[in-house]
Each structure stands twice: as structure tokens, then as C-alpha cells.
């Protein structure tokens, strides 16, 4: 069974404060995350290994964005997101 079947997915955005490496402006960016919330019960058709995996599964979210465009209008360069955890348990 695909582990995705254990979760209900919903997109969300969360603000993060990032520094542009080109112009060094610090701005708040709304980063896109995918929330994977563990379902209340195991979906039908699960076998024993699925049950064990489901028992250990936790709700979490993963960062979808890996780059942002600088908000400084004189810069506007795209830069890699760093210093932000790309995965978090919730
Ligand atoms: Zn910049």
C-alpha cells in the first residue's frame, strides 16, 4: 500500500523570513507546504506490514517551494530557500 493512502493531503502556506543572497534584503515570504495529516483509521485492504507502518506514521508537512523571487523590486532575483526546515512533524 502506498504510504500516501495513510494521509489526507492539504496545501497550506506559512510565512518565513528569508534573506536574499544577492541584495541581502530580509523579507517575509509565504512558502507553500503540503500538509499530510494522518487518517484516523487505516484504509481498507491493508495488510500486516501496512498496519505496522501506519502505527508508526505521524502527521507531517513538507515544503513544496525550493526557490523564491526576491521581493526587492531592484533585485527580483530568484534564490534557493535555505535555513528553512523542509519537513516538519505536526
Ligand atoms: Zn534580492
Amino acid at each position: 500500500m502506498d504510504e500516501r493512502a495513510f494521509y489526507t493531503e492539504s496545501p497550506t502556506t506559512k510565512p518565513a523570513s528569508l534573506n536574499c543572497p544577492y541584495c541581502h534584503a530580509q523579507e517575509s515570504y509565504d512558502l507553500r507546504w503540503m500538509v499530510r495529516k494522518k487518517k484516523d483509521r487505516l484504509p481498507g485492504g491493508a495488510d500486516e506490514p501496512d498496519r505496522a507502518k501506519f502505527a508508526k506514521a505521524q502527521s507531517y508537512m513538507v515544503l513544496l517551494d525550493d526557490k523564491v523571487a526576491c521581493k526587492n523590486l531592484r533585485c527580483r532575483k530568484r534564490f534557493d530557500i535555505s535555513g528553512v526546515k523542509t519537513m516538519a512533524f505536526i
Side-chain angles (χ1 to χ4, degrees):
M1 177 175 286
D2 190 338
E3 274 185 45
R4 280 164 186 261
F6 299 167
Y7 302 100
T8 307
E9 292 191 315
S10 57
T12 189
T13 57
K14 281 167 86 71
S17 184
L18 300 172
N19 283 298
C20 174
Y22 302 102
C23 68
H24 304 289
Q26 186 177 40
E27 289 283 352
S28 177
Y29 294 89
D30 286 327
L31 303 184
R32 293 177 304 130
W33 294 78
M34 182 60 78
V35 177
R36 298 212 168 102
K37 198 171 180 313
K38 187 181 176 181
K39 289 178 178 168
D40 293 336
R41 63 179 68 204
L42 193 57
D47 57 16
E48 205 50 50
D50 290 332
R51 243 185 285 279
K53 266 198 272 180
F54 186 76
K56 279 193 277 182
Q58 283 186 65
S59 300
Y60 66 101
M61 51 194 246
V62 285
L63 186 61
L64 298 178
D65 289 322
D66 59 355
K67 286 180 189 301
V68 292
C70 181
K71 283 186 178 174
N72 179 351
L73 295 180
R74 287 191 304 258
C75 173
R76 298 185 116 172
K77 287 193 170 72
R78 286 172 68 78
F79 61 91
D80 288 329
I81 296 167
S82 59
V84 176
K85 281 206 298 181
T86 55
M87 192 267 205
F89 288 106
I90 47 177

